[in-house]
Amino acid sequence: MADIIQLLPDHVANQIAAGEVVQRPASVVKELLENAIDAGATTIKLILKDAGKTLVQVMDDGIGMSATDARLSFERHATSKIRTAEDLFGLHTKGFRGEALASIAAIAHVELKTKQDTDELGTHIIIEGSQVASQEVAVVPNGTSILVKNLFFNIPARRNFLKSNTVEFRHIIDEFHRVALAHPDIAFSMFHNGSEVFRLGTSNMRQRIVNIFGPKTNERLVPVEETTEIVAISGFVGKPEFSKKSKAEQFFFVNGRFIKSPYLNHAVKSAFEGLLKDGNNPTYFINLKVDPKSIDINIHPTKTEIKFDDEHSLYAILRASIKHSLGQFSIAPVLDFERDGNLDTPYEYRYKNGSLPHIEVDRTFNPFAEQPKNTSKQATVFKSKNANNWESLYVGLESKGTDPEADFGQMVFESEQSSESLFDKQPTMDAIHKTYQLHNKYIVSTVRSGMLLIDQNRAHQRILYESFLERMTLRKTVSQQLLFPLQLHFTNTEIAVLKSLREDLETSGFVFSDFGTESLDVVGVPMDVSESEVQLIFAQLISDVEQEIPDSHFSATDLLAKSMARSLSIKTGQTLNNEEQEHLVNSLFACKEPSVSPNNKPTFTTLALEELEKKFM
Ligand code: ADP
Ligand code: MG
């Protein structure tokens, strides 16, 4: 048989390599920013259009390239950063694989302008799908500008695979944060669709964090500082009381490179042990300086994973130094730094003798008793004997094959016999209702086959979600004009997120007169939103966008509807009168999907008569 193996042509090899290096516009942003930093730039400007899908441009004032280097830079494995394999063990640059520009040029329209300051004239190169379209001598400023247009123009499948602009833009912001936080000594600016999103002057790390995450961040930061033989740690952790559900503000930088490390993340978390609310994550911005010889960055093409020689010591040192900082700033009890914190006994117990645990039981406690501020009305639903037609609304609703004749209303509860002892108030006449609020959290209602327990918050979210979604998709929204414009302030990241959702916000009924870089003016709000709720809705929306990214079914309209539903819904703990309770129940079952909340959690559960009866056996 004839030989069948062939070498792939370069442009094909480059396209394949591009699949590893360039997943989305944010990958281009990362590679170009890193190249600018490696070139010694002190000022870097990033310009984007349509979340980078149409354009990513990076301009720097770094060392630039000679005409020959400019052409060579697009070849695969062309790099100025390493020469020998040994160099890999002493990396001081971000790049070293020489793949980024070749990969990008294989899947986009690229234009490079570059000049070294010792040269009179610079170079202008146009490359499209790995083919050089032109190369000329040109009058250009010192430094380098690279324009990447129409990403994946020649791989439609990849282009279609890109997410909405909101999501892609969020990824870009993440990359931008990572690079900007690692290099506070470099000035960065970012523009999206013609407007400025960030302008970060040269500063120190603390200022950089504050410039990115907003002035409120400043008082929340606790410095962490520790130098040992194997690592120098510097940076900040967030005070525990400001920890968040989201993991958005967690940054490790190793020798100036952002990395992900579940292992080190665990070290930080364990330093915060006992200080965080359940499920919350600590905020941190931590620089680790280690000998380049002691790490291996080469294990992942996008280089966010890294291998350390001595991970265990690193873990211990990191954990101890964060504990120490938290202690010093009297957030945690002060601990002896030299010893393992786990061995420490809290001060108040140190000189106490052990005593037997003692359990107090409140024998008068009754789970059905009313909440103290919850007066008169609701406690009597089980009293109702007259089965009117109301229950028939729920016939067939998840009834688990119980006798349809068994009317829940006919059941005799203990409360029938001894209402005084069970309820601390005598039921009044108007209190004969079909619903009852339990612990300001659940609505109890009767159904033919048994009992219905509704989570008031989730149910209301479902109701609002469906109504917002309907209005937004049918564009049936009505706005109410505000008497005075409402000015709201946000960080520029937050504004950028809101801006990317502007169209959807407008279809949902918001009207803006101004969309600045740090504030926006609202002049109209959706019909059922009050002015005082606007700030809350936007804040919720921003945090939802942060959390929603991994979800591949992301749609901005859906997210907005969910988020507004969450902001405006009746919360757990809110007392509802009977009309409100009944209205909630009726509206829930008028929904298309009453049984789950917008986040797919159950909105209600039923307890069949059979099950109840079993409990009394
Ligand atoms: P790597 O960064 O891994 O070396 P790249 O493909 O990203 O590979 O870049 C190839 C080469 O092009 C770099 O090694 C560098 O010499 C040159 N280069 C790229 N971007 C710039 C820039 N902004 N300024 C100066 N030189 C650059
Ligand atoms: Mg590079």
Side-chain angles (χ1 to χ4, degrees), residues 31-32 35-36 38-39 60 62-65 69 73 75 78-81 94-102 114 144 146 303:
E31 293 296 337
L32 297 186
N35 278 349
D38 283 346
D60 70 55
I63 55 169
M65 286 178 261
D69 281 355
S73 67
E75 293 297 324
T79 179
S80 55
K81 297 167 195 176
K94 315 251 173 238
F96 57 87
R97 301 166 63 104
E99 276 184 330
L101 288 188
T114 186
T144 304
I146 301 189
K303 296 164 287 185

Side-chain angles (χ1 to χ4, degrees), residues 81-123:
K81 297 167 195 176
I82 57 168
R83 288 180 192 280
T84 64
E86 281 79 68
D87 292 346
L88 273 177
F89 303 103
L91 279 178
H92 293 283
T93 52
K94 315 251 173 238
F96 57 87
R97 301 166 63 104
E99 276 184 330
L101 288 188
S103 301
I104 294 168
I107 48 149
H109 296 138
V110 178
E111 214 178 313
L112 164 73
K113 288 179 186 163
T114 186
K115 182 174 107 58
Q116 296 177 307
D117 72 345
T118 47
D119 292 343
E120 277 293 295
L121 289 167
T123 307

Side-chain angles (χ1 to χ4, degrees), residues 44-75:
I44 300 177
K45 187 170 171 182
L46 169 64
I47 300 169
L48 305 157
K49 244 186 228 155
D50 304 327
K53 292 174 184 170
T54 313
L55 171 78
V56 176
Q57 181 179 12
V58 172
M59 298 160 85
D60 70 55
D61 60 354
I63 55 169
M65 286 178 261
S66 69
T68 323
D69 281 355
R71 175 64 194 85
L72 257 183
S73 67
F74 292 102
E75 293 297 324

